[in-house]
Amino acid sequence: MPVEITWWGHATCTVEDSGVRVLTDPLFARRLAHLRRRRGAVPPPEAAEADVVLVSHLHADHMHLPSLAALAPGTRLLVPRGARRAVPGLARLAGVRGLTVTEVAPGEEVAVRGGARGGVRVRAVSARHDGRRLPFGPQLAPALGYVVQGSARTYFAGDTGLFDAMAEEVGPVDVALLPVGGWGPYLGPGHLDAGRAARALADLAPAAAVPVHYGTYWPIGLDAVRPHEFHAPGEEFARCARRLAPKVTVRVPDHGERVRLP
């Protein structure tokens, strides 16, 4: 059975596999601090429907508490180990909304039941990214990626730079959801641009890939500053992938579009 991916924008995706809806880094805001949603409608209420939610790290555009508040009571939430200590509002929100919060570290696995079709297993893997709750705070929780294993193996990289052991730690996968940009004119360390993401793709060698983390949010007042960094990363990733990983099928969905892979 193929896996179905819906890209809602930024790093927010729904992965449907084996009767389980997996939601990644939910961000449903029209505006976040100095960032404005420039492309794609704010996701509809059904985007918040999930059996399990994966939070890759504590930055506010990935662990966005108002978006987590839209989840149904009882939704399971996987977060980096140390998240509750680093973000006190998470524990308060979980109590009010009845969310089940599980902290995980690289290498740990969690089973998520999916009714009659068996469910999935979710394994946390390392990422190379600043995992602090910015703009202040010590490093209390790591940044993570996740591998969702059901009928397919889907790697959600979160936000990460390229690192030597990525393919070895992630292991064989069928689908890769890779960040290819950001939310501003310049990418700092610990990020993948389109070219580096294509290099990661060549190492991972999945059957299919979807670029994420680009083309959604942009700083207010900077629309004319390096606009290609907002508009171009998805298609640029596809072009680089054709050269570096020609056997991989790359799909570049529009906001809210569902694709079936591999």
Side-chain angles (χ1 to χ4, degrees), residues 22-198:
V22 180
L23 179 64
T24 67
D25 286 351
L27 181 56
F28 303 140
R30 189 176 304 279
R31 178 173 173 178
L32 173 63
H34 64 299
L35 304 179
R36 174 172 57 90
R37 191 175 181 108
R38 287 191 56 206
R39 183 187 289 168
V42 173
E46 55 263 32
E49 297 173 1
D51 298 294
V52 63
V53 175
L54 313 181
V55 173
S56 64
H57 62 289
L58 307 187
H59 293 176
D61 58 323
H62 293 260
M63 178 182 278
H64 184 244
L65 296 182
S67 295
L68 296 179
L71 301 174
T75 302
R76 189 169 192 178
L77 191 61
L78 302 189
V79 301
R81 188 170 304 283
R84 280 179 288 205
R85 178 184 171 200
V87 187
L90 175 61
R92 291 194 295 269
L93 174 64
V96 170
R97 294 295 300 160
L99 306 178
T100 301
V101 179
T102 302
E103 296 190 343
V104 292
E108 294 182 341
E109 268 194 14
V110 173
V112 181
R113 286 183 290 183
R117 285 189 280 179
V120 301
R121 298 192 66 83
V122 180
R123 175 169 52 92
V125 297
S126 298
R128 296 297 184 268
H129 191 69
D130 186 342
R132 293 176 296 168
R133 185 68 166 178
L134 299 177
F136 306 108
Q139 181 79 43
L140 297 177
L144 299 176
Y146 295 93
V147 177
V148 178
Q149 182 160 353
S151 61
R153 293 163 297 188
T154 301
Y155 171 44
F156 169 61
D159 214 351
T160 186
L162 188 62
F163 58 99
D164 290 342
M166 178 185 283
E168 178 181 356
E169 183 173 350
V170 170
V173 290
D174 303 297
V175 178
L177 309 179
L178 295 178
V180 300
W183 50 253
Y186 300 96
L187 286 175
H191 293 87
L192 295 177
D193 60 12
R196 290 192 294 271

